Amino acid sequence: MLKKNLLTTVAAIAMAATTALPAHAEVTIMYAEWLSSLVEPGIKNFEAATGETVNAIKLPGQGYDQRIALDLSAGTAADVIQMDSFMVSELASAGYLHPLNEQGAGWDQFQYYQPGLLEVASYEGKVYGLPTDTDVRMLWYDKSNFEKAGIAVPWEPKSWADVLDAAQKLKDAGVQYFFQLPAGTKQGEASTMQGFYMLLLGADTPEGDRNRLLNRETGQWIGDSPAIRRTLEFYKKVYGDMGMPADLNYAADPGVAVREVLANDQLGIHASGSWEDACLWDCNGVNLPTREERDAMVGWTPWPGSGEPGAKATTNISGGWTIGVNAKAANPDLAFQLVTTIFDVENFKAWTLANHRMAVRTDISDSPEYMEDAYLAKATALAADTTGRDTVPGYQTVSALVQQMTADILDGAEVEDVVQEYHDALVDEFGEDKVITYE
């Protein structure tokens, strides 16, 4: 079922991705519409400075990752492309991306990027993308519904049991979407990152990477483990036993759907990330309530660990988006100039602050304006104990399989069957010697 669904998804995307790029554009760029407020002022500044015309292709956020991967493989992608950091190693290893180290060395702002974040956008020692931001993940909650359910705020759960107890109280108080835990293939990487991996990291001891998808020492994917089973059992508890409605995971735009239920006072707990300080209202930071109004409406708390012996007390995993250059760009130098104009400190800093994004450069993170933002300061502190995705070739396939596991749980499948299917799909994809099981 997993393999069949993946092939069906790719085929559907290939049929949808038929829009050809204009043939004569001097410089082309593809980006997701939610990044417009960073990209579009940069394009305007670039055109004014160079006299060149940029052909901008703005795409919906839903399915954006798959579209970029398909266009790069087909040779139809733009000169400059926005991409999720987890894609970089796979796309670079396939020869689709242009390395930026040499050009970056000649740009006076390259020095301010945090080395660890450049590493996330690198492959075999070469940088292939400049990060737009980084993030942390947490549990957001509606304070009015917590009051209705008799749950004290600030909410500080210490284990999965505490989270489930709060979810049950919210359900009993009549909150329709008492615990929105991202799941299924429609949610894409959100299912993997905001849901599955945040649980997985706290499901078992970190020793030997027992709480991950990949044993990073041996390079083997973990096909079965207590952590994977506990994580899926948590999903089954929420969507099966407790009866959390699954429809937000199937919405045309899950982000819009979540904003609607929050506005309608129907949301309890929402597993998401640091960007929600803006995105729960407007991801472009345009129509935001005041700081005081937002703080009165919602709160957030770190994800707790499971409470199992040896498991972490809290968990976090960080990612982020990047902008890079196509290996087939007609003029790589001009394409890189567009990238650096987008990331010029005046444009980049304004966007970071307006959208309450976690800074990736010290010339922004050390600025007085950033430091005085209480939300950013508190959220950034979570990054002190975070980890990253298994950004090695093959991760995209594994992430898609993880999303399918959660989709199968939504469909009522048993954990035993879902794990077996996942294990077998990993073996089919990578070979028996590249897959291990933990008892």
Side-chain angles (χ1 to χ4, degrees), residues 109-418:
Q109 296 178 38
F110 191 67
Q111 62 184 307
Y112 297 116
Y113 279 93
Q114 297 177 37
L117 295 174
L118 285 179
E119 186 177 341
V120 171
S122 299
Y123 177 68
E124 293 186 342
K126 294 181 179 179
V127 177
Y128 288 93
L130 297 184
T132 62
D133 61 332
T134 188
D135 49 41
V136 288
R137 281 154 178 77
M138 60 273 273
L139 296 173
W140 292 85
Y141 58 93
D142 184 305
K143 290 182 177 180
S144 65
N145 282 329
F146 266 54
E147 182 179 356
K148 185 191 302 182
I151 306 168
V153 297
W155 182 46
E156 298 176 342
K158 304 300 182 187
S159 68
W160 289 359
D162 290 345
V163 175
L164 293 172
D165 178 65
Q168 185 63 55
K169 289 177 179 175
L170 289 160
K171 179 185 178 183
D172 293 344
V175 179
Q176 183 175 357
Y177 298 99
F178 51 87
F179 185 15
Q180 174 52 24
L181 180 66
T185 57
K186 186 71 179 290
Q187 287 268 32
E189 193 66 7
S191 294
T192 307
M193 288 280 279
Q194 278 83 272
F196 193 92
Y197 226 138
M198 288 295 288
L199 287 161
L200 188 72
L201 288 166
D204 200 357
T205 173
E207 294 177 10
D209 283 340
R210 292 179 61 89
N211 62 351
R212 297 191 68 97
L213 296 172
L214 177 76
N215 183 307
R216 291 167 292 179
E217 184 175 339
T218 66
Q220 293 170 294
W221 296 103
I222 301 168
D224 190 355
S225 71
I228 290 173
R229 289 172 179 263
R230 288 170 190 156
T231 296
L232 291 172
E233 286 162 1
F234 188 97
Y235 268 93
K236 194 160 187 66
K237 175 72 174 176
V238 172
Y239 285 105
D241 300 346
M242 297 180 70
M244 169 65 191
D247 57 289
L248 296 181
N249 298 299
Y250 299 114
D253 187 326
V256 170
V258 167
R259 288 195 290 275
E260 287 177 353
V261 298
L262 174 68
N264 293 330
D265 207 28
Q266 298 171 295
L267 185 65
I269 304 165
H270 178 40
S272 193
S274 48
W275 56 89
E276 296 292 11
D277 190 54
C279 281
L280 280 173
W281 293 274
D282 187 328
C283 277
N284 282 316
V286 177
N287 301 307
L288 297 183
T290 66
R291 172 82 275 154
E292 292 74 18
E293 289 171 327
R294 277 176 283 160
D295 288 345
M297 282 189 276
V298 300
W300 61 267
T301 188
W303 258 103
S306 62
E308 290 286 333
K312 290 172 65 65
T314 62
T315 64
N316 226 301
I317 189 166
S318 297
W321 289 82
T322 69
I323 296 178
V325 175
N326 187 346
K328 294 184 178 180
N331 187 331
D333 290 333
L334 199 60
F336 185 70
Q337 187 176 349
L338 173 57
V339 173
T340 57
T341 306
I342 291 169
F343 284 116
D344 182 72
V345 64
E346 185 176 346
N347 184 53
F348 195 20
K349 182 179 179 180
W351 177 82
T352 299
L353 293 172
N355 291 277
H356 303 274
R357 298 283 177 163
M358 291 178 62
V360 295
R361 281 176 22 182
T362 57
D363 57 342
I364 298 175
S365 63
D366 292 345
S367 69
E369 303 97 315
Y370 187 90
M371 296 295 288
E372 71 185 17
D373 187 311
Y375 169 73
L376 286 175
K378 189 176 179 183
T380 300
L382 293 183
D385 184 32
T386 191
T387 186
R389 287 171 283 192
D390 308 302
T391 49
V392 298
Y395 172 79
Q396 290 188 70
T397 298
V398 175
S399 180
L401 294 174
V402 166
Q403 294 159 33
Q404 185 62 53
M405 281 200 292
T406 64
D408 290 344
I409 293 295
L410 290 185
D411 290 342
E414 296 301 322
V415 169
E416 182 70 34
D417 297 333
V418 172

Side-chain angles (χ1 to χ4, degrees), residues 69-92:
L70 280 168
D71 282 6
L72 282 166
S73 64
T76 59
D79 299 320
V80 177
I81 48 174
Q82 175 199 349
M83 58 196 156
D84 204 331
S85 58
F86 80 88
M87 303 174 71
V88 171
S89 64
E90 195 130 6
L91 297 176

